[in-house]
Amino acid sequence: MVHRLKRDHPRLGIVINGGFDTLDAMAKQRQHVDGVMVGRAAYQNPWLLHEADTHFFDSAPVHATRQEVVEAMLPYIEAQGVLPDAGVDVVRQALAAVRRPPETSMG
């Protein structure tokens, strides 16, 4: 339905949302629409966004390793210390960034 909407109205900017959890799946959608929203997949596997720069924009990532990403997050994590709930969410993301997902979720 979304692809048909874009085909019928090519001048509209159409962005699709819906459980795309690999860069290949997102690239396939980009053949039909103007953009792909990534929510749950990025939350569950933040490293996916790190790889997206190279995959879609042909640019080198700012941080080369998972450790560098987490180290770059430390000042923000420390600043969130006054807000325990927000701090927990940020730490969860830092841990997810270093955890390697199962091979099946990487496509």
Side-chain angles (χ1 to χ4, degrees):
M1 179 179 201
V2 175
H3 296 171
R4 184 178 45 191
L5 181 64
K6 178 62 179 178
R7 187 176 56 245
D8 293 348
H9 303 281
R11 297 181 89 189
L12 288 178
I14 303 292
V15 178
I16 195 167
N17 185 13
F20 306 107
D21 61 356
T22 67
L23 296 176
D24 289 338
M26 294 170 207
K28 186 175 180 180
Q29 290 300 314
R30 288 276 293 129
Q31 295 173 4
H32 305 285
V33 295
D34 300 299
V36 178
M37 284 189 241
V38 182
R40 191 175 311 121
Y43 185 79
Q44 293 171 346
N45 177 14
W47 194 251
L48 186 69
L49 295 181
H50 175 272
E51 296 168 341
D53 284 341
T54 303
H55 193 85
F56 292 107
F57 306 111
D58 200 27
S59 65
V62 175
H63 303 290
T65 67
R66 293 169 189 264
Q67 181 175 340
E68 288 176 2
V69 170
V70 173
E71 287 173 356
M73 292 174 70
L74 288 176
Y76 182 75
I77 292 169
E78 290 171 357
Q80 296 304 311
V82 296
L83 302 170
D85 293 335
V88 168
D89 288 338
V90 173
V91 170
R92 182 180 303 125
Q93 290 303 300
L95 292 174
V98 296
R99 174 185 52 81
R100 293 190 186 275
E103 290 299 318
T104 56
S105 71
M106 290 302 293

